[in-house]
Amino acid sequence: MEFLNSIFVKPFADMVGAPDFLLQVLWEGLVAGVLYALIALGFVLIYKSSRIFNFAQGIMVVFAALTLVGFHEKGVPALLAVPLTLLVMFILAVAIERAVLRPLVNQPDLILFMATIGITLFLIGFGEIIFGGENKVMITEQLYIPTGSFEFEPFGGFVSIEQKDLTAVIGAVLLVVGLLVFLNRSKMGRAIRALGDDHQAALSVGISLSTIWVLVWFIAGVIALATGIVWGARAGVSFALEVIAFKALPVLMLGGLESVLGAIVGGLAIGVLEKLFEIYWGQPLLGGNTETWFAFVLALVVLLFRPQGLFGEKIIERV
């Protein structure tokens, strides 16, 4: 009886008894969810336009962040280092399209996936040669990202919101809104969507596959830079940052591999739910550290009932 009480009663009683702490947990979960959604968007855009699962998205986050910090270490002003880093990511997108994707057109999906693993290994080696393997500090202050905190006292309690987290959320929202406007309103955005809906039909009306591939890999690079700045400000910049890409996998499984909306909703849901579970169930009952596996279990449960994800399209094949 006591065990059932600790699962079904006590956590909710704790939420009601300390609403200020609940707000703090929800905010931290929201921040994590926004960052998960950003990472997942990079996967979704590339898969939607080319049917390639981009294993290299994680190292692209690291490479973009290291490039930004590297430019600043060479004496380039921070605000100039950002567009220079974007230029590097554009050159990288062109190089990947010309050297990797174009020769592998019409190859099986597994071959293309293995190619992205090759890109990952190349960027790790190339990055270590250029930037070294030591940890670096993100240039937060030089980018005018505030580092203080806002403090509130709701319900007679205490809630602290880090200004850099608030900046990350606002920046991510603006980036996602801009991306959605681009995909739905611009000519190139509609071309990306058309290519994702039907490759053959899109090519038959003159849409350039090479141009779209360069564009989506560059957009993924922009998302990687934004993610690298935010995560780097929280945890520093190193090649260990690459593992954050794995946090996007349950987001993709939950929201659907081809859905931009699914990446956003899935990221927010997993960020909030894993934080709630960790604080109110994981630490009291399981000793904590549930954030490393909760999202995967949640995604697995969803896949059992909806294999295409919550927002994925159901595929019907005639045999």
Side-chain angles (χ1 to χ4, degrees), residues 67-81:
T67 301
L68 177 64
V69 175
F71 274 127
H72 187 262
E73 289 179 345
K74 297 298 183 181
V76 178
L79 296 182
L80 179 58

Side-chain angles (χ1 to χ4, degrees), residues 236-256:
V237 181
S238 69
F239 285 94
L241 198 63
E242 180 191 0
V243 299
I244 64 172
F246 294 115
K247 297 296 291 187
L249 298 181
V251 175
L252 297 171
M253 292 188 287
L254 182 65

Side-chain angles (χ1 to χ4, degrees), residues 130-179:
I130 300 299
F131 306 110
E134 67 277 3
N135 293 352
K136 298 183 182 294
V137 178
M138 178 51 64
I139 50 176
T140 306
E141 295 182 0
Q142 292 83 349
L143 292 173
Y144 299 101
I145 298 175
T147 55
S149 63
F150 296 111
E151 298 176 353
F152 305 94
E153 298 182 358
F155 307 106
F158 179 80
V159 173
S160 177
I161 296 179
E162 294 283 341
Q163 292 182 20
K164 62 183 178 183
D165 289 343
L166 182 60
T167 303
V169 170
I170 294 174
V173 169
L174 293 176
L175 181 61
V176 169
V177 170
L179 180 61

Side-chain angles (χ1 to χ4, degrees), residues 137-274:
V137 178
M138 178 51 64
I139 50 176
T140 306
E141 295 182 0
Q142 292 83 349
L143 292 173
Y144 299 101
I145 298 175
T147 55
S149 63
F150 296 111
E151 298 176 353
F152 305 94
E153 298 182 358
F155 307 106
F158 179 80
V159 173
S160 177
I161 296 179
E162 294 283 341
Q163 292 182 20
K164 62 183 178 183
D165 289 343
L166 182 60
T167 303
V169 170
I170 294 174
V173 169
L174 293 176
L175 181 61
V176 169
V177 170
L179 180 61
L180 292 176
V181 171
F182 171 76
L183 290 175
N184 290 283
R185 301 295 182 184
S186 70
K187 181 179 179 180
M188 294 302 295
R190 288 193 293 269
I192 292 174
R193 293 172 57 205
L195 198 61
D197 292 337
D198 191 325
H199 265 65
Q200 296 301 323
L203 294 174
S204 68
V205 296
I207 294 177
S208 171
L209 184 62
S210 297
T211 301
I212 297 301
W213 277 1
V214 170
L215 180 60
V216 295
W217 278 81
F218 174 62
I219 294 175
V222 173
I223 294 173
L225 176 58
T227 307
I229 292 174
V230 173
W231 277 103
R234 294 163 62 94
V237 181
S238 69
F239 285 94
L241 198 63
E242 180 191 0
V243 299
I244 64 172
F246 294 115
K247 297 296 291 187
L249 298 181
V251 175
L252 297 171
M253 292 188 287
L254 182 65
L257 195 55
E258 299 183 31
S259 173
V260 173
L261 178 61
I264 298 170
V265 175
L268 295 177
I270 284 180
V272 171
L273 291 176
E274 76 173 10

Side-chain angles (χ1 to χ4, degrees), residues 20 24 27 46 54 73 81 93 100 102 108 154 162 235 259 264 282 288-289 306 310 317:
D20 58 315
Q24 185 75 58
W27 167 251
I46 291 178
N54 181 23
E73 289 179 345
V100 180
R102 185 178 295 186
E162 294 283 341
S259 173
I264 298 170
N289 203 32
R306 191 173 172 83
L310 295 177
E317 294 184 355

Side-chain angles (χ1 to χ4, degrees), residues 265-319:
V265 175
L268 295 177
I270 284 180
V272 171
L273 291 176
E274 76 173 10
K275 185 64 69 173
L276 287 172
F277 187 85
E278 166 72 14
I279 298 299
Y280 292 102
W281 284 272
Q283 292 180 3
L285 299 176
L286 303 172
N289 203 32
T290 61
E291 289 177 295
T292 58
W293 55 262
F294 172 80
F296 293 92
V297 174
L298 176 63
L300 178 61
V301 171
V302 171
L303 289 179
L304 290 176
F305 298 96
R306 191 173 172 83
Q308 69 272 28
L310 295 177
F311 295 88
E313 296 181 0
K314 191 172 184 178
I315 299 175
I316 301 176
E317 294 184 355
R318 288 184 173 89
V319 295

